[in-house]
């Protein structure tokens, strides 16, 4: 009854409180990953396995001069916020009509932008020139702007912020320029920086000895994708990106903490509570920023607070999110040649010789990743974890590289798609705690990553693909129930929301945002 | 060194290293406001890294330059990374190059590069112009007509260095009528080539001196028209940006010998990978290095790696650069022995190539059109395509066999396919548009339809002739 009431209320514009952010109205889509736990599972179920056949386009919004939108629309009380680097648009979520537009001036051309965060009467987003900006949610007026880092050094800020108890949490990119990463918290009212956690330890700090010589100075380890949050534990979970130079490990011997790790930070202070490193001394650019999904489930008969992640290195990890203890790890791709398994502590057992070379070394998965920033989902009804995986291999090469300040690539060379093992995308369902494959859906001919999934209480998994199709799969079986050709490559994550009792499904595709609802008229 | 030798050396350098760029027609109106926020500027490709020709020490600060045109103007923009911006010269035609300053020197006639026009603008918007054409009698300076431009600190009476300095911009519209005395057409026609260089210099702290088209020793001045880069005017969406580098075959041959003598301690013979250093001929990152980068690497070594600096003469270094560039040359860029006319008749006759491939409107349609193949592929790849099976059929040419529920059988190549539909070009040369629901059975071939027995079916001469014919199939930019 309470929920129904909420559905029927369309206030002029409600303030978003921490309580809202913690327990969102299912009609809203308040976070990049839906909720703090990043399950991307909506309780809306008017669109379900029986009705999805009647899902039709409601509207399209074209973002002028854009290409490859990567934003997740945020919806609050019928208002949708969409971003493109330097731009924010507020739309009537029922009609796709623009309410206001904000443009950052002068505009540095760097992308992508993955969306806004909302809190109070404000909208927050990061910019190509590495600023965090707060806008008035009703008008798009700029309220404050804070410099996160020097854009001229090469930093930018593509991720969607996460707002926790009046603090705006924001990360930084890129990982491939030898610029060291961090995670920041800013006062949501004033933009004042409250804390900074550096992802590369400085001399004297724990972990600095995992970097040979001065290599920590250009170590990378960035935070270009949003993390998750557990309000009870008051911990932020943030995946950390790759070390630099990406492909040449010779110049940075050691485990290279905290690159390729999951870190748990106290939300009030930014202090490190625990870390778990997925790929120590990575030489394949396997950023560990993939969205950490928080869920509770029994393991060996005991309820555990879990954090799961399908990692770019090809393993699916189950961690205890209270302590960071490694509980379980399984490969989720068929072709994985760089490690023969994981130790009981979760450390990979390397296959000798599968490292980049002058000649080129076949590496499976490829550097593009067994998965990447496409969002996963968890459906509590099935107990399964849904995500997009890439099968295939790369040929990885290395050569010497020199760090240059000013935002130049510091990669130590790169990779190409293996001619023998071309890339192929799949939607896969894994059992949450065991990582067992429950079903898979091949996205025929799709090979480029970026489009993730959405789970709904209607028993559906929505998934985009690089062919431009948005498909609805049955959560239990992976069977296709519905699809639509959006006309452009999808590189963003689907959402669902409701306005005045009507459920919508929406996704950014190419240069448009497309929204669907059941039946056409009225 | 006598003047003749000096000139010859310069020319051979220019053949190796001169920068190249296609100037696209502007797709939107450009407001000269010192911002570069118009869609046309955003879409325009940067000209590429500037070269620090006479670098001694300090921070190399890059400049991103872009060019566009329409019927009235040539548009130029510079965005200069600069942590110490200063400018003081306010007098028209004053010595602006002491200040932080950007420049463009333009030779509208590629056959007469010594006729060039200069535009030098400092960070507060003071300009100096000269006309270096033989016909110009107006004195040391020159007044271009109708020029509009804007610098980041335009109109200030001075700009002191400040801790917040990051970068600055100059945006300019130069009316094309200023060049009508030397240009082949006003406005230029698509395909017209001009020569020009873009420069950056001056400043107090960490003074800069860099140019878009590299100026190699012994030249010591920006007034070196032989080193100007080549630009070609193209239509909108005409593939703006860096054009292909055309290697000098003689320099490349000489460079190969030097390379195989001195570099193969670590790198492999003929650009292959070696035991201790990468393959310079592979399709990888090092091949995107500019000639200036390669020159630096060979001359001074690469810090943090085993790559040492070399004491060999600069002329030899440039020959090695020509060789490295030739490794990525496409078939159209290299000399290929064989009789092109005979190759054409083999292509359309005994070779049966034309049963699947079309060239300039003649031939079959199941395989890729080869009209421009020599500009797209290396010579080696052409030979491989004729003799070695690819592991996976290329996209758009994967063989399929479809059995429809109607009972019809279709054999051909899948132009496109996803979970929901299939577009097949049949062996009957007709398009078959099929949804999944209509399919009773679907078989994918694992091998491309391309036969790889050309070397057996054809005589040695016929094979070589057909390769020579293919190697000439290019809609060439040059």
């Amino acid at each position: 009854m309470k929920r129904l009431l909420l559905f029927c209320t369309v206030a002029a514009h409600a303030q978003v409180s921490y309580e809202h952010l913690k327990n969102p109205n299912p009609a809203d889509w308040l976070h990049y990953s839906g909720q703090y736990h990043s399950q991307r599972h909506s309780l809306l179920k008017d669109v379900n396995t029986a009705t999805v056949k009647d899902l039709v386009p409601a509207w399209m919004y074209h973002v002028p001069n854009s290409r490859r939108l990567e934003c997740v629309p945020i919806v609050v009380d019928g208002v949708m916020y969409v971003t493109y680097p330097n731009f924010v648009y507020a739309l009537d979520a029922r009609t796709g009509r623009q309410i206001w537009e904000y443009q950052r001036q002068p505009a540095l051309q760097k992308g992508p932008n993955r969306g806004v965060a909302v809190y109070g009467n404000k909208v927050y987003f990061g910019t190509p020139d590495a600023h965090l900006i707060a806008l008035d949610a009703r008008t798009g007026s700029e309220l404050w702007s804070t410099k996160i880092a020097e854009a001229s050094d090469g930093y930018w800020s593509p991720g969607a912020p996460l707002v926790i108890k009046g603090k705006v949490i924001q990360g930084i990119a890129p990982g491939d320029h030898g610029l060291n990463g961090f995670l920041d918290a800013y006062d949501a009212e004033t933009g004042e920086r409250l804390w900074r956690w550096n992802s590369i330890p400085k001399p004297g700090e724990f972990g600095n000895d995992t970097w040979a010589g001065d290599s920590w100075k250009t170590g990378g380890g960035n935070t270009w994708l949003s993390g998750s949050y557990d309000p009870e534990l008051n911990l932020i979970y943030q995946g950390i990106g790759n070390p630099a130079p990406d492909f040449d490990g010779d110049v940075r011997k050691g485990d290279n903490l905290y690159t390729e790790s999951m870190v748990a930070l106290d939300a009030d202070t930014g202090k490190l509570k625990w870390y778990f490193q997925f790929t120590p001394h990575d030489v394949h650019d396997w950023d560990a920023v993939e969205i950490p999904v928080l869920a509770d489930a029994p393991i060996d008969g005991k309820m555990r607070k879990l954090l799961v992640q399908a990692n770019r290195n090809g393993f699916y990890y189950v961690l205890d999110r209270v302590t960071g203890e490694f509980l379980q790890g399984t490969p989720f791709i068929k072709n994985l040649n760089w490690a023969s398994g994981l130790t009981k502590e979760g450390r990979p057992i390397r296959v000798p010789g599968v490292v980049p070379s002058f000649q080129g070394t076949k590496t499976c998965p490829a550097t593009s990743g067994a998965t990447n920033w496409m969002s996963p989902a968890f459906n509590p009804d099935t107990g399964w974890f849904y995500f997009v995986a890439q099968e295939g291999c790369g040929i990885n090469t290395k050569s010497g590289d020199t760090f240059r300040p000013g935002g130049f690539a510091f990669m130590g060379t790169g990779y190409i798609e293996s001619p023998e093992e071309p890339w192929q995308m799949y939607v896969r369902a894994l059992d949450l705690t065991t990582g067992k494959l429950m079903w898979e859906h091949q996205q025929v001919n799709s090979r480029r990553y970026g489009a993730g999934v959405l789970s709904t209480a209607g028993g559906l998994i929505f998934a985009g693909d690089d062919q431009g199709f948005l498909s609805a799969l049955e959560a239990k079986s992976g069977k296709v129930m519905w699809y639509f050709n959006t006309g452009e490559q999808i590189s963003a994550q689907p959402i669902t929301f409701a306005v005045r009792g009507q459920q919508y499904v929406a996704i950014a595709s190419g240069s448009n945002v497309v929204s669907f609802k059941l039946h056409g008229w009225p | 060194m006598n003047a003749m030798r000096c000139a010859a050396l310069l020319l051979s350098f220019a053949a190796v290293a001169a920068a190249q760029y296609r100037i696209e027609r502007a797709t939107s109106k450009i407001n000269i406001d010192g911002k570069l926020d118009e869609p046309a500027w955003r879409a325009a490709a940067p000209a590429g890294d500037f070269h620090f020709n006479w670098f001694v020490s300090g921070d190399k600060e890059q400049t991103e330059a872009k060019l566009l045109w329409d019927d009235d103007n040539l548009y130029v923009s510079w965005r200069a990374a600069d942590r110490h911006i200063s400018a003081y010269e306010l007098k028209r035609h004053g010595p602006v190059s002491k200040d932080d300053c950007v420049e463009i020197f333009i030779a509208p006639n590629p056959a007469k590069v010594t006729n060039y026009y200069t535009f030098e603008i400092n960070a507060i918007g003071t300009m100096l112009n000269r006309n270096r054409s033989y016909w110009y009698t107006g004195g040391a300076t020159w007044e271009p007509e109708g020029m509009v431009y804007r610098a980041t600190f335009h109109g200030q009476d001075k700009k002191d260095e400040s801790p917040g300095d990051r970068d600055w911009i100059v945006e300019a519209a130069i009316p094309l009528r200023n060049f009508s005395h030397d240009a082949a057409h006003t406005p230029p026609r698509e395909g017209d080539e001009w020569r020009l260089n873009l420069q950056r210099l001056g400043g107090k702290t960490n003074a800069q001196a860099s140019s878009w088209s590299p100026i190699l020793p012994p030249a010591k001045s920006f007034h070196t028209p032989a080193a100007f880069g080549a630009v070609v005017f193209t239509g909108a969406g005409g593939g703006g940006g860096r054009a292909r580098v055309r290697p000098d075959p003689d320099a490349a041959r000489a460079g190969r010998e030097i390379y195989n003598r001195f570099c193969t301690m670590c790198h492999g013979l003929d650009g292959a990978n070696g035991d201790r250093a990468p393959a310079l001929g592979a399709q990888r990152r090092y091949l995107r290095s500019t000639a200036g980068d390669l020159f630096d690497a060979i001359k001074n070594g690469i810090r943090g790696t085993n790559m040492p600096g070399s004491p060999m003469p600069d002329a030899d270094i440039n020959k090695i650069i020509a060789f490295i560039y030739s490794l990525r040359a496409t078939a159209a860029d290299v000399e290929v022995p064989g009789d092109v006319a005979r190759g054409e008749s083999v292509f359309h006759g005994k070779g049966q190539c034309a049963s699947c491939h079309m060239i300039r409107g003649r031939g079959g349609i199941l395989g890729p059109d080869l009209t421009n193949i020599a500009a797209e592929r290396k010579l080696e790849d052409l030979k491989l395509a004729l003799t070695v099976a690819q592991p996976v059929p290329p996209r758009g040419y994967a063989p399929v066999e479809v059995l429809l529920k109607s009972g019809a059988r279709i054999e051909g190549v899948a132009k496109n396919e996803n979970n929901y539909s299939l577009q097949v070009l049949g062996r009957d040369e007709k398009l078959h548009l099929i949804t999944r629901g209509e399919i009773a059975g679907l078989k994918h071939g694992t091998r491309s339809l391309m036969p790889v027995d050309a070397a057996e079916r054809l005589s040695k001469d016929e094979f070589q002739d057909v390769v020579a014919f293919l190697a000439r199939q290019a809609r060439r930019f040059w």
Side-chain angles (χ1 to χ4, degrees):
Chain A
M1 186 58 208
K2 190 183 162 206
R3 225 175 74 210
L4 192 71
L5 206 81
L6 283 167
F7 279 13
C8 298
T9 315
V10 179
H13 189 92
Q15 297 253 338
V16 179
S17 68
Y18 174 60
E19 274 311 308
H20 287 135
L21 292 174
K22 211 158 73 169
N23 298 302
N25 180 338
D28 290 335
W29 189 272
L30 293 187
H31 300 279
Y32 183 79
S33 299
Q35 295 198 43
Y36 279 141
H37 52 48
S38 298
Q39 291 180 2
R40 287 198 130 260
H41 177 78
S42 168
L43 296 177
L44 300 179
K45 54 184 177 189
D46 285 352
V47 179
N48 55 48
T49 50
T51 61
V52 68
K53 63 178 170 37
D54 297 321
L55 196 62
V56 293
W59 53 260
M60 286 173 76
Y61 178 77
H62 177 67
V63 179
N65 300 313
S66 71
R67 52 188 286 274
R68 201 172 156 143
L69 292 171
E70 294 189 4
C71 69
V72 168
I74 297 296
V75 182
V76 186
D77 279 331
V79 180
M80 177 184 282
Y81 302 96
V82 168
T83 66
Y84 187 61
N86 300 306
F87 291 86
V88 182
Y89 303 89
L91 312 177
D92 176 341
R94 209 157 50 104
T95 60
R97 297 291 292 170
Q98 184 180 309
I99 301 166
W100 53 256
E101 169 190 335
Y102 168 85
Q103 182 182 358
R104 170 85 173 145
Q105 292 277 21
L108 253 187
Q109 295 311 307
K110 263 184 176 176
N113 187 284
R114 298 216 161 83
V116 304
V118 287
Y119 179 65
N121 248 340
K122 298 188 182 65
V123 171
Y124 305 91
F125 73 106
T127 68
D129 60 347
H131 281 60
L132 181 68
I133 290 179
L135 306 179
D136 188 303
R138 297 155 302 187
T139 59
S141 297
E142 186 175 311
L143 300 175
W144 54 255
S145 154
T146 297
K147 187 197 284 179
I148 303 172
E150 289 299 343
S152 58
D153 288 343
Y155 284 108
W156 76 92
S157 188
L162 189 63
V163 183
I164 297 169
K165 294 190 288 188
K167 295 186 182 66
V168 186
I169 312 297
Q170 183 67 333
I172 199 78
D176 309 322
H177 293 186
L179 301 170
N180 288 1
F182 49 81
L183 195 68
D184 282 353
Y186 296 88
D187 185 307
E189 281 311 310
T190 64
E192 184 200 350
R193 195 167 91 202
L194 301 175
W195 54 254
R196 166 167 293 182
W197 177 80
N198 287 303
S199 61
I200 309 292
K202 298 190 163 116
E205 293 174 357
F206 174 81
N208 181 264
D209 59 355
T210 63
W211 295 86
D214 278 347
S215 60
W216 66 274
K217 286 183 179 167
T218 53
N222 279 278
T223 48
W224 50 269
L225 199 60
S226 312
S228 306
Y229 173 63
D230 184 325
E232 277 178 35
L233 298 171
N234 196 33
L235 290 178
I236 297 167
Y237 302 96
Q238 178 69 46
I240 308 297
N242 62 282
D246 307 28
F247 297 95
D248 182 7
D250 301 351
V251 297
R252 50 172 174 82
K253 292 205 161 55
D255 277 359
N256 307 142
L257 288 176
Y258 296 95
T259 66
E260 313 302 28
S261 300
M262 183 59 59
V263 299
L265 305 180
D266 183 292
D268 296 333
T269 63
K271 294 276 178 287
L272 180 74
K273 177 82 184 295
W274 58 256
Y275 75 93
F276 175 82
Q277 193 176 32
F278 301 97
T279 317
H281 190 72
D282 176 35
V283 288
H284 294 114
D285 189 12
W286 284 326
D287 296 76
V289 297
E290 295 77 44
I291 303 280
V293 175
L294 315 183
D296 300 342
I299 287 194
D300 299 331
K302 194 179 148 210
M303 264 321 258
R304 301 289 289 257
K305 287 175 185 291
L306 304 178
L307 178 155
V308 301
Q309 189 197 48
N311 191 279
R312 197 161 152 179
N313 72 12
F315 286 94
Y316 172 74
Y317 293 86
V318 182
L319 307 180
D320 180 316
R321 74 171 179 273
V322 183
T323 62
E325 182 195 350
F326 167 79
L327 301 175
Q328 157 84 24
T330 341
F332 61 79
I333 48 169
K334 288 164 191 135
N335 206 347
L336 187 150
N337 76 345
W338 68 280
S340 57
L342 302 175
T343 66
K344 67 179 182 359
E345 292 80 29
R347 198 176 168 93
I349 304 161
R350 306 270 180 152
V351 174
V354 187
V355 290
S357 59
F358 293 131
Q359 293 84 353
T361 306
K362 185 162 93 176
T363 309
C364 319
T367 287
S368 50
T371 187
N372 204 304
W373 46 270
M374 45 281 209
S375 293
F378 170 67
N379 181 331
D381 302 333
T382 59
W384 297 345
F385 175 83
Y386 301 86
F387 71 116
V388 176
Q390 185 191 60
E391 291 280 358
C393 306
I395 306 294
N396 288 26
T397 49
K398 79 164 178 184
S399 74
D401 209 337
T402 313
F403 173 77
R404 289 184 289 166
F408 296 93
F410 181 48
M411 308 272 289
T413 194
Y415 72 108
I416 56 168
E417 184 174 3
S418 166
E420 271 99 27
E421 290 88 4
W423 300 339
Q424 171 63 56
M425 310 305 296
Y426 292 85
V427 180
R428 285 182 174 155
L430 305 183
D431 180 83
L432 181 79
T433 54
T434 65
K436 185 178 166 226
L437 180 66
M438 307 313 290
W439 56 254
E440 70 176 19
H441 166 78
Q442 183 186 3
Q443 296 179 311
V444 174
N445 252 346
S446 279
R447 54 185 285 275
R448 287 167 294 185
Y449 50 83
V453 300
L454 162 74
S455 166
T456 76
L460 295 169
I461 301 295
F462 285 89
D465 67 32
D466 84 353
Q467 304 292 296
F469 280 67
L470 179 66
S471 301
L473 312 176
E474 188 181 38
K476 276 190 214 146
S477 65
K479 193 179 135 208
V480 176
M481 312 291 287
W482 173 89
Y483 61 85
F484 181 82
N485 183 357
T486 67
E488 289 186 86
Q489 179 189 343
I490 298 175
S491 311
Q493 325 306 324
I495 65 159
T496 185
F497 60 93
V499 187
R500 297 192 194 178
Q502 171 97 48
Q503 185 182 355
Y504 294 78
V505 174
I507 191 163
S509 160
S511 58
N512 297 303
V513 178
V514 193
S515 188
F516 303 87
K517 65 175 182 175
L518 291 175
H519 312 294
W521 295 85
Chain B
M1 189 181 298
N2 69 42
M4 279 281 284
R5 260 180 67 206
C6 174
L9 207 58
L10 271 178
L11 279 175
S12 78
F13 288 172
V16 169
Q20 303 179 15
Y21 184 78
R22 298 178 197 226
I23 308 179
E24 277 197 69
R25 191 176 260 281
T27 50
S28 66
K29 188 175 154 29
I30 291 177
N31 298 316
I32 302 299
D33 54 5
K35 296 168 185 168
L36 305 175
D37 50 2
E38 292 85 0
W41 276 135
R42 278 192 249 151
D49 280 358
F50 276 35
H51 299 269
F52 298 80
N53 307 291
W54 312 290
F55 182 72
V56 183
S57 65
D59 284 340
K60 294 181 179 181
E61 292 180 313
Q62 266 301 343
T63 307
E64 184 180 87
K66 294 180 173 184
L67 298 162
L68 290 167
W69 70 291
D70 60 22
D71 284 347
D72 301 318
N73 293 303
L74 176 69
Y75 299 96
V76 194
S77 71
W78 299 259
R79 185 193 294 273
D82 196 341
R83 285 182 180 270
H84 309 279
I85 307 170
S86 64
Y88 302 95
E89 185 58 52
L90 289 163
K91 197 166 135 269
R92 173 83 175 117
H93 298 310
V96 293
S97 64
K98 285 190 300 194
D99 295 335
D100 271 309
C101 166
V102 291
E103 307 180 340
I104 184 168
F105 291 2
I106 301 174
N109 180 352
K112 280 213 179 81
V113 288
T114 48
N115 283 3
Y116 64 97
Y117 306 65
T118 74
F119 304 80
E120 310 181 13
I121 303 168
N122 71 7
I124 54 174
T126 308
M127 182 162 67
L128 160 65
N129 301 102
R130 298 188 199 280
N131 185 329
R132 296 289 191 120
S133 300
Y134 71 90
W135 53 264
Y136 180 71
T137 53
T141 60
W142 166 66
E143 297 299 330
E145 289 175 30
M147 168 118 179
V148 187
Y149 67 97
R150 202 84 198 158
T152 298
F153 305 100
H154 212 105
Q156 295 188 10
D157 56 6
K158 63 174 186 171
K159 166 72 181 87
D160 289 319
E161 292 179 357
S162 81
D165 286 346
R166 296 286 165 241
D167 61 7
W168 55 286
I169 289 170
V170 173
E171 183 181 25
I174 309 174
L176 289 160
R177 62 175 187 272
N178 284 298
F179 307 109
S180 55
H181 204 292
D182 284 288
H185 312 100
T186 302
R189 294 184 189 160
E190 287 180 24
D192 278 4
E193 178 184 328
W194 289 15
R195 300 277 299 275
L196 58 83
N197 209 351
L198 295 144
Q199 285 111 224
R200 157 92 182 275
L201 69 169
K204 283 197 297 190
T205 309
N206 197 30
Q208 299 292 308
S210 59
S211 65
W212 165 63
S213 191
I215 302 166
L216 298 181
K220 287 208 161 46
S221 160
F222 288 132
H223 292 275
T224 307
F228 284 7
V231 296
V232 170
F233 292 85
T234 74
R242 252 178 281 190
R244 287 184 304 122
V245 171
R246 184 193 198 187
D248 172 340
D250 293 329
R253 243 190 316 272
R256 176 174 171 237
E257 277 178 32
I258 302 168
Y259 171 91
N260 281 346
R261 259 184 290 141
F262 292 110
C263 307
T264 49
M265 286 283 282
C266 298
H267 298 278
L269 266 180
D270 289 333
N273 63 268
D275 294 335
R276 278 176 288 175
L280 300 177
Q283 296 281 16
R284 301 240 165 76
R285 182 181 165 274
Y286 0 95
L287 294 187
R288 298 200 293 273
S289 309
T290 63
D293 294 341
L294 291 173
F295 189 92
D296 277 354
I298 299 170
K299 181 102 184 160
N300 305 317
I302 303 174
R303 189 167 67 84
T305 75
N306 293 329
M307 174 75 186
S310 164
M312 73 175 73
D314 289 355
D316 284 359
I317 294 179
N318 280 297
K319 284 174 189 156
I320 291 178
I321 295 170
F323 168 64
I324 293 171
Y325 269 81
S326 76
L327 293 172
R328 65 168 143 170
T330 63
D333 291 319
V334 294
E335 289 171 282
V336 184
D339 185 320
V340 172
R342 260 199 340 241
E344 181 165 19
S345 56
V346 174
F347 183 89
H348 287 285
K350 181 178 171 186
Q352 295 177 304
C353 314
S355 60
C356 290
H357 295 285
M358 188 172 279
I359 287 181
R360 293 188 301 280
R362 266 184 79 200
I365 61 170
L366 272 188
D369 187 302
L370 302 180
T371 307
N372 197 38
I373 195 70
E376 294 162 6
R377 298 291 158 83
K378 292 181 179 189
L379 178 63
E380 216 33 54
D381 295 336
L382 291 184
K383 290 183 190 165
L384 283 175
L386 291 165
T387 51
V388 178
Q390 298 302 301
V392 180
R395 291 198 150 223
Y397 300 96
V400 285
E401 240 184 275
V402 191
L403 184 63
L404 296 182
K405 285 177 178 161
S406 67
R409 226 180 115 262
I410 296 154
E411 214 184 306
V413 293
K415 302 312 287 183
N416 205 355
E417 178 185 1
N418 78 345
N419 295 69
Y420 311 116
S421 70
L422 193 62
Q423 292 72 33
V424 177
L425 179 60
R427 279 193 181 275
D428 58 3
E429 303 206 334
K430 286 184 181 140
L431 284 171
H432 302 271
L433 311 181
I434 305 160
T435 61
R436 287 278 171 183
E438 296 163 350
I439 299 176
L442 174 62
K443 250 176 32 197
H444 288 88
T446 55
R447 283 286 159 90
S448 158
L449 297 178
M450 172 77 188
V452 288
D453 59 351
E456 288 108 72
R457 275 192 301 123
L458 303 177
S459 75
K460 207 174 157 204
D461 281 351
E462 287 167 338
F463 182 81
Q464 190 53 49
D465 293 344
V466 90
V467 169
F469 168 67
L470 291 171
R472 298 276 75 80
Q473 302 312 312
R475 295 188 197 97
R476 294 186 70 172
F477 170 42
W478 296 103

